């Protein structure tokens, strides 16, 4: 009898701890009934966008040990974010947010399936999680693919099939394919019909088409199309996603909801990676969007942009986003952001259909809604495994809720659901009381009594309640960060497809055979030969790439060779303004093969000069600081150098100083190399030293 009394006391203490205030407490209560015999739409997964503008450029340059840890946090099941969907950019040689990714077919008929890094990262991701579903989308494409500035062409369909063939050659299965990122407003039904026919004929019947991958209510015009399998819209919960806080609403049309097609938020973006004071919206906004995507819009699949911030730091536009930040390949240092754990609150508790569970998980409509019936108090969704033996509920109070609440659960039906132990995980995402040690924390289990229990819901938290087990928080620890010190040298001849640490912003800078200076046989070549069909068009764009760190005073030197007439040069103190628009601040030293040179101040404006992410309000300008003529021949290697020391800016050709000016417009920034237009140029032996 004593043992029975003791056991009952332990159980009582456990339940009281889990449920919070005793009966009669003043905290408002929401009743949630989990009906194990119910069920709504099927859950399709939560994932992220790997591409969308060079955001993962540095990942392949990381030491193997740290790269493996980063990939674990992104893809390893029940370890970190446990991503279930991964959208790959189909590289198009032009900037698509924070960089440019090379195309697999820059010229018609010339296929290079090793171009870029998307396939390489995807292979590693699928090795960690064979259930990961891959999704391809293009932001831009080589010029030969388009017609009159459009990618909705017959040539583009052939190009997409060639890209799918490259993926297959790399051992990858692409499950979903879109059209043209954010450029389709519902008027390309004939093109999707042709694409569907070509996919079927080319052995890709399994590939499902997502349309329109655009912004606005027009994206849902394919509701009646037999060729489009999934209706996908970007930023349908506002931009930045869920920025409206407690007032966040997610949109879909009545026609879309009435269709039999899955509805996806195929890109949600603009969310800060962390949960620190001042961020708006902060990382838990992805949970706020996830719950409301279903409650408001019946959306069942969500992808966050970007998956990772792994690119040059402090000089590009979207520096504060991504599940992880990995911008120090030289030190191996990285940071697991709050966004990882915000997404883990979903992906570690429910999963899309699999071979072992083809029915997947389904939303329980009667157990999904708003706390106390009010949008301002938070939201929740419940999902039920198709076998009706497991359930999970995700609750969020991230929109500025001021007081604690209670959720009172009643579980019934299914296969013995009422008696199953409930495991609880929580994250305190408050900017004042939370922090990494309070993200994704295992709370005491709850044992329901006759299928009933209650839980205290604190403000600023995300909770995951589940009858499943096996969840976990990754244990790998990053090395400490370290500054990239001068001198820095890079021979531009090593790497995978692209040279180590060189981040193309427009055009494609890839490793290529050459007869280089000092006997080099591999150099970096700008390989884009004609202006691409660009994601955001503008009057003048040219290939350029950045490398190194956000230094103040330094000398940048490089060897360059132009095989044909044209120009090339160096950039100093670079900072992006609107990269996809081709605008930046920097000192640009450009030399032509006819000997004419200019040293210019490129003035792309400030971040305040742009709206809607990439649409320019103030046009870029360039001030000529110096100009002249030197000996500079095509087909020959020359040495270019730019020195920046305080206000003094100097430029040299083959060791001879040709310009010296005083200018105080820019005080620091990253070095870069540039080509005057869309034609080949070779580079070797880059060095950055102290002045």
């Amino acid at each position: 009898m004593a043992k029975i009394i003791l056991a009952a006391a332990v159980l009582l203490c456990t339940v009281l701890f889990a449920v919070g205030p005793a009966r009669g407490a003043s905290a408002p209560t929401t009743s949630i009934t989990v009906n194990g015999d119910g069920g709504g739409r099927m859950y399709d997964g939560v994932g992220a966008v790997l591409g969308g503008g060079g955001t993962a450029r540095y990942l392949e340059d990381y030491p193997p040990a740290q790269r493996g840890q980063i990939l674990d946090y992104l893809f390893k099941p029940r370890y970190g974010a446990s991503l279930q969907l991964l959208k790959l950019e189909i590289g198009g040689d032009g900037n698509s947010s924070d960089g440019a990714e090379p195309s697999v077919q820059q010229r018609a008929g010339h296929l290079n399936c090793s171009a870029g890094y998307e396939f390489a990262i995807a292979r590693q991701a699928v090795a960690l999680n064979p259930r990961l579903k891959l999704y391809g989308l293009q932001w831009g494409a080589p010029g030969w693919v388009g017609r009159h500035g459009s990618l909705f062409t017959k040539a583009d369909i052939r190009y997409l099939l060639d890209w799918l063939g490259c993926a297959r050659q790399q051992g990858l299965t692409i499950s979903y394919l879109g059209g043209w990122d954010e450029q389709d407003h519902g008027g390309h039904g004939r093109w999707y019909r042709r694409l569907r026919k070509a996919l079927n004929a080319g052995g890709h019947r399994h590939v499902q088409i997502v349309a329109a991958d655009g912004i606005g209510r027009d994206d849902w015009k394919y509701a009646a199309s037999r060729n489009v399998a999934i209706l996908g819209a970007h930023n349908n919960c506002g931009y930045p996603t869920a920025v409206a806080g407690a007032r966040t609403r997610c949109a879909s049309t009545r026609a879309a909801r009435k269709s039999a097609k899955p509805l996806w938020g195929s890109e949600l973006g603009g969310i800060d990676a962390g949960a620190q004071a001042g961020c708006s919206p902060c990382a838990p906004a992805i949970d706020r969007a996830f719950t409301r995507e279903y409650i408001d819009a019946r959306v069942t699949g969500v992808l966050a942009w970007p998956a990772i911030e792994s690119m040059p730091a402090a000089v590009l536009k979207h520096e504060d986003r991504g599940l992880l930040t990995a911008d120090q390949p030289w030190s191996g240092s990285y940071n697991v952001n709050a966004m990882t754990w915000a997404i883990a609150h979903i992906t570690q508790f429910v999963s899309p259909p699999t071979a072992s569970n083809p029915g997947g998980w389904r939303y329980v409509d009667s157990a999904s809604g708003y706390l106390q019936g009010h949008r301002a108090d938070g939201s929740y969704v419940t999902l039920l495994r198709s076998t009706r033996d497991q359930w999970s509920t995700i609750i969020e109070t991230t929109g500025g809720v001021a007081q604690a609440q209670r959720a009172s659960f009643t579980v019934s039906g299914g296969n013995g659901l009422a008696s199953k132990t409930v495991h609880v995980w929580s994250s305190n995402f408050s900017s004042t009381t939370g922090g990494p040690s309070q993200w994704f924390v295992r709370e005491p289990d709850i044992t329901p009594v006759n299928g009933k229990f209650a839980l205290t819901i604190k403000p600023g938290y995300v909770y995951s309640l589940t009858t499943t087990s096996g969840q976990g928080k990754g244990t790998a620890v990053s090395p400490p960060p370290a500054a990239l010190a001068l001198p820095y040298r890079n021979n531009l001849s090593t790497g995978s497809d692209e040279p180590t640490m060189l981040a193309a912003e427009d055009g494609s800078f890839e490793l290529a055979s050459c007869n280089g200076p000092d006997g080099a046989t591999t150099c970096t070549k700008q390989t884009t030969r004609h202006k691409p069909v660009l994601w955001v068009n503008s009057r003048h764009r040219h290939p350029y790439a950045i490398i190194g760190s956000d230094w103040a005073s330094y000398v940048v030197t490089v060897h360059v060779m132009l095989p044909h007439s044209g120009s090339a040069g160096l950039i100093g103190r670079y900072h992006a303004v609107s990269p996809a628009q081709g605008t930046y601040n920097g000192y640009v030293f450009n030399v032509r093969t006819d000997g004419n040179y200019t040293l210019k101040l490129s003035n792309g404006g400030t971040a305040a000069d742009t709206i809607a992410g990439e649409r320019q309000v103030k046009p870029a300008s360039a001030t000529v600081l110096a100009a002249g003529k030197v000996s500079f021949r095509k087909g020959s290697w020359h040495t270019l150098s730019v020195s920046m020391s305080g206000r003094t800016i100097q430029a040299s050709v083959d060791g001879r100083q040709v310009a010296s000016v005083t200018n105080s417009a820019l005080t620091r920034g990253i070095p870069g190399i540039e080509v005057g237009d869309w034609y080949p140029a070779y580079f070797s032996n880059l060095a950055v030293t102290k002045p």
Side-chain angles (χ1 to χ4, degrees):
M1 178 64 71
K3 291 182 179 180
I4 295 175
I5 294 173
L6 178 61
V10 171
L11 175 60
L12 178 62
C13 290
T14 300
V15 172
L16 286 175
F17 180 85
V19 303
R23 183 176 298 176
S26 60
T29 300
T30 300
S31 297
I32 301 174
T33 300
V34 180
N35 178 6
D37 298 319
R41 295 185 178 226
M42 183 179 290
Y43 169 79
D44 292 313
V46 168
V49 184
L50 184 64
T55 53
R57 171 61 192 89
Y58 273 176
L59 186 52
E60 284 297 278
D61 294 336
Y62 259 72
Q66 281 74 50
R67 183 172 68 246
Q69 293 169 6
I70 292 167
L71 292 169
D72 282 349
Y73 277 114
L74 288 171
F75 302 109
K76 187 175 179 180
R78 299 190 171 187
Y79 184 86
S82 306
L83 294 176
Q84 297 158 340
L85 302 169
L86 183 64
K87 183 185 286 189
L88 306 176
E89 178 172 354
I90 302 172
D93 301 326
N95 191 294
S96 51
S97 282
D98 283 302
E101 302 194 24
S103 166
V104 298
Q105 195 171 185
Q106 293 173 338
R107 292 181 293 158
H110 295 264
L111 203 59
N112 174 18
C113 292
S114 298
Y117 52 79
E118 297 272 345
F119 287 151
I121 295 174
R123 288 197 309 270
Q124 297 168 79
V126 172
L128 286 169
N129 179 11
R131 296 176 177 176
L132 182 71
K133 296 291 186 69
L134 302 179
Y135 174 173
L137 183 67
Q138 54 189 342
W139 276 249
W144 68 269
V145 171
R147 185 168 181 257
H148 304 306
S150 174
L151 284 186
F152 293 104
T153 65
K154 292 181 180 179
D156 189 46
I157 291 174
R158 296 194 299 272
Y159 175 67
L160 291 175
L161 262 67
D162 286 339
W163 182 83
L164 288 171
C166 281
R168 179 179 288 172
Q169 184 185 112
Q170 303 256 355
L172 298 171
T173 298
I174 306 298
S175 298
Y176 311 104
L177 186 68
W180 187 10
D181 179 84
E182 297 179 359
Q183 306 298 316
D184 180 8
H185 300 288
H188 298 282
R190 180 179 299 179
W191 184 84
Y192 284 111
R193 183 168 64 250
R194 289 173 176 166
L195 176 61
R196 180 72 269 165
K197 184 177 179 180
L199 289 170
N200 293 347
H204 302 288
R205 286 184 176 272
H206 68 281
V207 176
Q208 298 185 67
I209 295 175
V210 183
D213 261 322
I215 299 175
R217 296 174 70 87
D218 289 341
D219 297 336
W220 308 100
K221 286 184 178 178
Y222 297 110
S225 172
R226 291 180 297 174
N227 304 296
V228 172
I230 298 166
L231 303 180
H234 294 194
N235 303 322
N236 67 311
C237 300
Y239 186 84
T241 293
V243 69
R247 299 187 305 277
T248 295
R249 293 179 183 272
C250 302
S252 64
T253 66
R254 182 180 179 185
R257 293 191 298 273
K258 289 183 67 176
S259 76
K261 303 180 190 301
L263 314 183
W264 285 12
S266 50
E267 183 185 310
L268 304 183
I271 304 173
D272 194 290
Q276 70 281 1
C279 59
S280 179
C282 305
I286 196 67
D287 294 304
R288 188 161 67 246
F290 170 74
T291 54
R292 296 168 193 228
E293 281 279 28
Y294 187 75
I295 299 166
D296 295 346
R298 290 301 187 251
V299 165
T300 57
V302 167
L303 291 103
W305 179 84
I308 187 170
E309 182 205 310
S310 190
M311 56 192 189
V315 296
L316 291 171
K317 189 169 183 179
H318 305 109
E319 297 281 355
D320 57 349
R321 304 178 187 178
L323 284 68
L324 285 90
T325 299
D327 55 16
Q328 288 204 353
W330 56 87
S331 71
S333 183
Y334 61 88
N335 188 64
V336 183
N337 298 324
M339 182 67 79
T340 290
W341 307 115
I343 287 179
H345 269 287
I346 308 162
T347 53
Q348 291 207 30
F349 300 90
V350 291
S351 60
T354 63
S356 60
N357 180 32
W361 288 68
R362 290 187 176 272
Y363 289 85
V364 181
D365 293 356
S366 61
S368 302
Y370 291 100
L371 294 172
Q372 303 180 63
H374 301 298
R375 190 177 295 271
D377 293 315
S379 55
Y380 61 95
V381 291
T382 299
L383 298 100
L384 177 69
R385 199 173 190 268
S386 63
T387 49
R388 301 188 181 277
D389 60 345
Q390 306 288 353
W391 65 271
S392 295
T393 295
I394 294 94
I395 305 173
E396 63 80 23
T397 56
T398 62
V401 179
Q403 63 176 333
Q405 305 170 67
R406 284 165 57 85
S408 176
F409 282 81
T410 300
V411 184
S412 64
N415 295 325
L417 291 182
S419 61
K420 286 184 175 290
T421 299
V422 178
H423 311 293
V424 182
W425 291 74
S426 72
S427 288
N428 178 5
F429 286 124
S430 166
S431 62
T432 55
T433 62
S437 65
Q438 297 185 59
W439 297 341
F440 210 66
V441 174
R442 175 78 179 268
E443 302 285 3
D445 291 345
I446 299 173
T447 302
V449 177
N450 297 322
K452 297 179 182 294
F453 68 94
L455 181 76
T456 296
I457 307 298
K458 299 177 183 178
Y461 271 67
V462 175
Y463 295 89
S464 295
L465 290 76
T466 188
T467 56
T468 66
S469 59
Q471 291 79 16
K473 188 173 183 179
T475 57
V477 178
S478 166
L484 183 61
L486 295 179
Y488 169 72
R489 302 184 188 278
N490 189 321
N491 58 19
L492 301 180
S493 65
T494 59
S496 50
D497 173 63
E498 298 174 274
T500 301
M501 278 186 56
L502 185 70
E505 294 303 302
D506 249 333
S508 297
F509 292 79
E510 301 178 89
L511 296 176
S513 299
C514 69
N515 293 316
D518 307 324
T521 57
T522 301
C523 304
T524 289
K525 180 183 179 182
Q526 199 297 114
T527 56
T528 306
R529 299 200 173 205
H530 302 283
K531 186 177 180 179
V533 179
L534 295 165
W535 180 52
V536 178
N537 208 357
S538 57
R539 186 177 62 179
H540 178 69
R541 298 276 286 275
H542 68 108
Y544 70 98
I546 57 177
I547 190 169
S549 189
D550 183 27
W551 293 301
S553 293
Y554 56 89
V555 181
V556 55
T557 303
V558 75
H559 294 140
V560 61
M561 188 272 284
L562 288 157
H564 310 292
S565 297
S567 69
L570 288 166
I571 301 174
R573 291 181 177 170
Y574 169 94
H575 274 268
V577 176
S578 180
Q581 193 83 27
T583 57
Y584 59 86
N585 296 327
Y587 295 109
V588 183
F589 179 48
N590 179 269
V591 187
R592 298 187 57 83
T593 51
D594 62 8
N596 288 297
Y597 69 83
T598 56
L599 175 60
K600 295 181 179 181
L601 168 65
S602 173
N603 179 16
T606 67
D609 297 324
T610 62
I611 61 172
E614 299 296 350
R615 300 194 181 279
Q616 182 102 0
V617 176
K618 178 181 177 181
S621 63
T623 302
V624 176
L625 303 177
K629 193 164 186 175
V630 293
S631 176
F632 193 88
R633 300 186 305 275
K634 66 181 180 183
S636 297
W637 284 94
H638 295 276
T639 304
L640 304 183
S641 181
V642 174
S643 172
M644 291 151 289
S645 180
R647 299 171 63 242
T648 302
I649 317 299
Q650 299 174 326
S652 301
V653 178
D654 294 330
R656 174 193 165 198
Q657 182 176 298
V658 297
S660 181
V661 301
T662 299
N663 187 275
S664 58
L666 307 174
T667 58
R668 62 186 308 116
I670 197 169
I673 57 178
E674 60 93 35
V675 182
D677 215 328
W678 305 93
Y679 41 66
Y682 290 84
F683 297 87
S684 182
N685 296 330
L686 182 138
V688 187
T689 58
K690 294 181 180 180

